[in-house]
Amino acid sequence: MRFSEDPNYGFAVGRVRAREVFLLRRPDYDRLVSLENEAELLKELRGRMPLEFSEEPIVSLENLLEVIHTENRVFFQKYSQNPDLYALITERAVLAKPILFEYLRRLNNDFLNYYFKTAIDLENIRNALRIKYLIEKTEDNTTSIFKNINRIWLKGGEFTSEDAVKYFVEPWSTIIEWVAKTKYALCLTEGIEYLISQNSFLRLERKIEEEKQKILLLTRYLVFGYEPLIAYYLFRENEIRNLRRIALGIKAKIPREWLKENIVCVL
């Protein structure tokens, strides 16, 4: 895989490596989900989150998470050096926007092409599985599955909507056989089997997000280029989502094992 290897990002990569030590790992999440309330969660996190650009006093967990999100964007913008790169990574719902391919064309980077192609594939399959599951629960209409999958299918991935539809109108066993032959077999097979047995997308959602994060791990040993900066930004944003899930779960007294199942982490 060809990386940017831009020496102009040498200092930025050094900053990223210094910040990476503060990212939460799986054992950290296991400890956090065992806490009793939001106050304990906030106390645990105060010393773990590097706040460089904000002097705002932290008065609540949501306040802390908002500050972390703002700092993460400021850090990424400060060192990204390229407006296209910043927009590509931070723009909401970029997968569904035609501008995605213009950004990728201009940046001409194998790592970015691979990451977003994977993201599109997994988003398409996730949406198709949701459509099949919901329609079968309500009307069992093959025509409706076909129509809805074609309507939501994102372009730019490895699979076309025509390829997918012929499998998604078939029984679940056929879908599992199909995904088992793709490069996403380890990610999707377990998630689909969990969906069928537990009537829950929880594991599938986690597996899909972790599959994308595994690509970010390819940047771990780079010393130049913007790829480590991208990986750090996305890992930190994922961390914020995880912490919001934990806070809501603790407040709602969700069983700890369910909370752990919801935590996306490959570190």
Side-chain angles (χ1 to χ4, degrees):
M1 180 180 294
R2 180 172 54 87
F3 295 97
S4 63
E5 298 183 350
D6 187 341
N8 292 322
Y9 284 88
F11 180 75
V13 173
R15 295 298 317 280
V16 164
R17 300 304 181 215
R19 282 174 160 246
E20 281 177 335
V21 299
F22 295 100
L23 289 171
L24 298 174
R25 270 63 178 176
R26 179 65 66 176
D28 298 314
Y29 286 121
D30 289 345
R31 186 177 69 257
L32 293 177
V33 299
S34 69
L35 299 177
E36 295 298 324
N37 53 55
E38 186 176 303
E40 289 185 6
L41 187 56
L42 177 60
K43 183 178 179 180
E44 281 280 333
L45 294 174
R46 279 182 182 274
R48 288 295 307 262
M49 303 296 164
L51 301 180
E52 179 180 350
F53 306 107
S54 174
E55 298 180 358
E56 179 182 342
I58 305 302
V59 296
S60 68
L61 179 64
E62 183 56 35
N63 173 219
L64 174 62
L65 296 181
E66 285 295 330
V67 170
I68 294 169
H69 171 66
T70 299
E71 289 239 344
N72 198 30
R73 289 181 72 97
V74 170
F75 181 81
F76 185 65
Q77 185 174 35
K78 180 177 180 180
Y79 293 106
S80 61
Q81 303 181 32
N82 187 320
D84 286 346
L85 184 65
Y86 178 79
L88 172 66
I89 301 302
T90 63
E91 191 170 332
R92 291 176 61 86
V94 72
L95 292 184
K97 297 180 179 180
I99 190 64
L100 165 66
F101 303 104
E102 180 60 23
Y103 289 146
L104 293 177
R105 184 190 66 78
R106 293 200 293 248
L107 290 163
N108 188 28
N109 177 270
D110 287 353
F111 170 79
L112 289 173
N113 291 337
Y114 180 60
Y115 178 84
F116 281 99
K117 187 173 185 177
T118 299
I120 289 170
D121 278 341
L122 293 174
E123 186 68 14
N124 280 333
I125 293 173
R126 169 170 33 199
N127 289 337
L129 289 169
R130 285 194 171 277
I131 287 170
K132 179 176 177 63
Y133 180 84
L134 292 172
I135 288 177
E136 285 194 351
K137 289 292 184 183
T138 56
E139 55 186 283
D140 191 20
N141 187 322
T142 297
T143 303
S144 186
I145 293 175
F146 180 88
K147 180 175 65 177
N148 281 282
I149 287 178
N150 276 291
R151 182 172 56 83
I152 59 86
W153 201 261
L154 302 174
K155 296 180 180 180
E158 182 174 332
F159 311 113
T160 66
S161 59
E162 291 79 14
D163 291 333
V165 163
K166 66 183 180 185
Y167 294 105
F168 283 92
V169 296
E170 297 294 329
W172 286 98
S173 58
T174 303
I175 297 174
I176 292 175
E177 289 175 5
W178 172 61
V179 300
K181 297 174 183 176
T182 72
K183 62 183 179 181
Y184 307 116
L186 292 177
C187 160
L188 295 173
T189 303
E190 185 181 344
I192 296 172
E193 289 174 344
Y194 186 89
L195 167 63
I196 295 169
S197 63
Q198 303 296 321
N199 287 308
S200 170
F201 280 86
L202 191 60
R203 184 166 296 178
L204 179 69
E205 295 284 352
R206 176 172 63 80
K207 288 287 186 178
I208 284 175
E209 293 306 313
E210 288 181 344
E211 186 72 10
K212 292 189 292 184
Q213 288 197 3
K214 288 176 183 176
I215 299 174
L216 304 180
L217 293 177
L218 297 175
T219 71
R220 178 171 284 179
Y221 302 110
L222 299 179
V223 295
F224 297 118
Y226 50 68
E227 292 87 354
L229 186 63
I230 293 170
Y232 174 78
Y233 175 83
L234 293 175
F235 276 133
R236 184 62 88 186
E237 291 300 295
N238 172 73
E239 190 173 271
I240 293 168
R241 290 190 293 270
N242 281 339
L243 291 172
R244 284 203 167 99
R245 293 186 189 110
I246 291 173
L248 290 172
I250 291 174
K251 186 175 182 180
K253 300 188 183 304
I254 292 174
R256 297 300 188 250
E257 289 307 310
W258 277 80
L259 265 181
K260 289 182 180 181
E261 186 69 50
N262 213 357
I263 300 302
V264 177
C265 183
V266 297
L267 298 175

